[in-house]
Amino acid sequence: MSKVKTQTLSILTEFEVYASEKDLPKADAELLMQSKKSVKDAYAPYSKFHVGAAVLLDNGKIITGNNQENAAYPSGLCAERVALFYAASQFPKAKVVAIAISVKSKKSIIAEPLAPCGSCRQAIAEYETNSKKPIRIIMSGEKGKIYIAKSIESMLPLMFNKKYL
Ligand code: THU
């Protein structure tokens, strides 16, 4: 057996947990409501998993988006990136303050908060790195608790970003 002494790096991720929408701070509740509205317009005929996202910018604008699927499956895009990329393309100087995510599945009731996929975390991280301001991530299911992460860095530790390039 090797006697090499190793260290352990532990990373703690904390989420604020709210029992329901009614308990949320007003700005978070408003953003979540906008993301829920956007779920209705998702184009998700293949997965039947409808997602909505709402992005709050520091100029006060709220930009919404939803998942857009495609018969060639990988050509589709998640709600979070549809909303973020549209927001950045329309308001390139604005900083992203927060993003809210909502879901409605035609297959089952989603009873836990929907967390953004890895690719969306990476996309959100790009804007957080650029603005040097934490982006608040508000995650909800169709019912049950709501989780809020205070930054994307907390949800994507050891992230790859431009400092490596
Ligand atoms: N999806 C999102 O839009 N956001 C997520 O956070 C998770 C997954 C979409 C992609 C695809 O259209 C469907 O949900 C099923 O994966």
Side-chain angles (χ1 to χ4, degrees):
M1 263 241 298
S2 145
K3 286 260 166 70
V4 177
K5 227 180 166 196
T6 56
Q7 289 184 325
T8 303
L9 170 65
S10 300
I11 298 172
L12 176 72
T13 299
E14 288 186 328
F15 298 95
E16 290 175 356
V17 179
Y18 292 88
S20 85
E21 270 168 62
K22 284 180 280 181
D23 302 325
L24 286 176
K26 206 164 160 266
D28 295 334
E30 164 67 15
L31 200 61
L32 190 59
M33 199 258 286
Q34 296 290 340
S35 74
K36 277 188 196 291
K37 273 195 198 163
S38 190
V39 169
K40 295 192 182 79
D41 298 319
Y43 176 64
Y46 306 105
S47 71
K48 318 248 185 260
F49 193 82
H50 297 231
V51 184
V55 171
L56 173 65
L57 300 175
D58 69 347
N59 61 13
K61 297 243 184 306
I62 292 178
I63 305 296
T64 60
N66 38 51
N67 52 331
Q68 297 295 316
E69 296 187 348
N70 193 279
Y73 291 3
S75 300
L77 199 62
C78 292
E80 295 89 326
R81 276 175 287 164
V82 169
L84 269 177
F85 293 163
Y86 182 70
S89 67
Q90 296 302 300
F91 302 100
K93 294 204 175 93
K95 291 178 178 163
V96 176
V97 175
I99 180 166
I101 305 157
S102 296
V103 60
K104 184 153 186 41
S105 171
K106 292 208 167 146
K107 292 183 186 164
S108 62
I109 290 178
I110 308 299
E112 57 191 304
L114 182 68
C117 78
S119 295
C120 287
R121 291 181 204 200
Q122 182 67 33
I124 298 167
E126 183 78 14
Y127 299 106
E128 187 170 279
T129 301
N130 285 350
S131 70
K132 300 185 183 71
K133 290 261 164 66
I135 296 176
R136 199 167 164 80
I137 321 289
I138 303 153
M139 294 160 275
S140 78
E142 290 177 58
K143 62 175 196 179
K145 293 179 179 144
I146 292 157
Y147 291 168
I148 299 186
K150 285 187 174 161
S151 75
I152 196 68
E153 192 180 13
S154 68
M155 294 180 68
L156 192 64
L158 305 181
M159 66 169 70
F160 179 79
N161 62 28
K162 61 186 178 185
K163 75 172 185 249
Y164 292 105
L165 300 177

